[in-house]
Amino acid sequence: MNHTWLTPSHFVMLGLLLGFAIAHSGLAALRMQAEKAIGARLYRVLFASVSLPLAVGLVIYFFNHRYDGAQLWQVQAVPGVREIVWVLSAVSFLFLYPATFNLLEIAAVQKPEVHLYETGIIRITRHPQMVGQLIWCIAHTLWLGTSFTLVTSIGLVLHHLFGVWHGDRRLSQRYSEAFEKVKSRTSIIPFLAIVQGRQTLYWQEFLRPAYIGVAIFVFLLWRSHPLLIQATAKVPW
């Protein structure tokens, strides 16, 4: 069998994903001890200083190698696929971003806190970032159809599945019985707790300015997508 399609970039991307996962999840695991030692704001700055450059590197490498490897399918010319991909991508950001609404905490302007949410999108799924990442991976793997994209998506999903276990574990350690009550009223699988009658969806909770920001971000991303591809192509990596 000819394995020439298995380019080194497949393994480089897996290595980058593993490095990001270790740094991101490792720092998250150390949050309570680190905040006691250096304070919540400095910890957030440290966390961002490590995670953001690694994330940017992943994005650049993905853009530059997205068509590497075998072309498993080609559906870009199929009517409706482009629209489906963009709708799925937009929905994915609705899950990826609003897990945390307080931008001032994210930027460490306010003291970052760990919040035990049970409202809004958490009623749909206790781990919206995992669901958003899964939707994003489905959309982009469908559109690109390459083995490199498939490998990247598998790595991202595995990291977020680990994050589900890791996040629940950390919340259980911090909140114990309070988190167990939230856990009993929410679900990992979207809408499962609602279908089972353990949770009720209140649409008015989604009427928040943050969602307007997400919509604007998705629109700008859509318009600037070709520019992003051109910019990353200039990075020799």
Side-chain angles (χ1 to χ4, degrees), residues 150-168:
L150 181 61
V151 166
T152 302
S153 293
I154 291 173
L156 285 169
V157 171
L158 288 175
H159 169 53
H160 279 75
L161 289 176
F162 171 79
V164 168
W165 171 81
H166 194 229
D168 279 359

Side-chain angles (χ1 to χ4, degrees), residues 70-131:
Q71 188 70 48
L72 303 176
W73 55 80
Q74 178 57 264
V75 296
Q76 293 183 4
V78 176
V81 169
R82 183 183 183 88
E83 290 73 19
I84 291 172
V85 168
W86 272 110
V87 168
L88 288 176
S89 297
V91 171
S92 74
F93 281 102
L94 294 177
F95 282 90
L96 278 167
Y97 170 71
T100 303
F101 285 104
N102 197 330
L103 290 176
L104 294 179
E105 287 188 21
I106 294 175
V109 175
Q110 292 181 352
K111 180 182 177 182
E113 302 282 354
V114 176
H115 300 280
L116 195 61
Y117 288 111
E118 195 185 341
T119 58
I121 205 164
I122 304 301
R123 296 184 187 274
I124 297 176
T125 172
R126 193 167 65 250
H127 290 280
Q129 289 185 324
M130 180 275 293
V131 174

Side-chain angles (χ1 to χ4, degrees), residues 5 13 27 30 51 58 67 188 231:
W5 62 269
M13 176 54 81
L27 286 173
L30 296 172
S51 296
L58 280 170
Y67 284 111
I188 297 173

Side-chain angles (χ1 to χ4, degrees), residues 30-40 43 174:
L30 296 172
R31 177 170 183 169
M32 286 193 291
Q33 297 93 322
E35 287 186 343
K36 291 177 182 178
I38 64 176
Y43 165 79
R174 182 180 285 260

Side-chain angles (χ1 to χ4, degrees), residues 197-216:
R198 295 185 284 122
Q199 186 59 258
T200 303
L201 197 60
Y202 297 99
W203 292 105
Q204 59 269 30
E205 292 179 350
F206 292 86
L207 301 176
R208 304 185 62 163
Y211 284 103
I212 298 176
V214 173
I216 294 173

Side-chain angles (χ1 to χ4, degrees), residues 37-86:
I38 64 176
R41 285 190 177 90
L42 185 54
Y43 165 79
R44 178 55 58 87
V45 172
L46 174 63
F47 185 86
S49 298
V50 173
S51 296
L52 286 179
L54 291 174
V56 170
L58 280 170
V59 171
I60 293 173
Y61 197 80
F62 174 77
F63 270 127
N64 289 345
H65 296 273
R66 64 193 185 281
Y67 284 111
D68 284 5
Q71 188 70 48
L72 303 176
W73 55 80
Q74 178 57 264
V75 296
Q76 293 183 4
V78 176
V81 169
R82 183 183 183 88
E83 290 73 19
I84 291 172
V85 168
W86 272 110

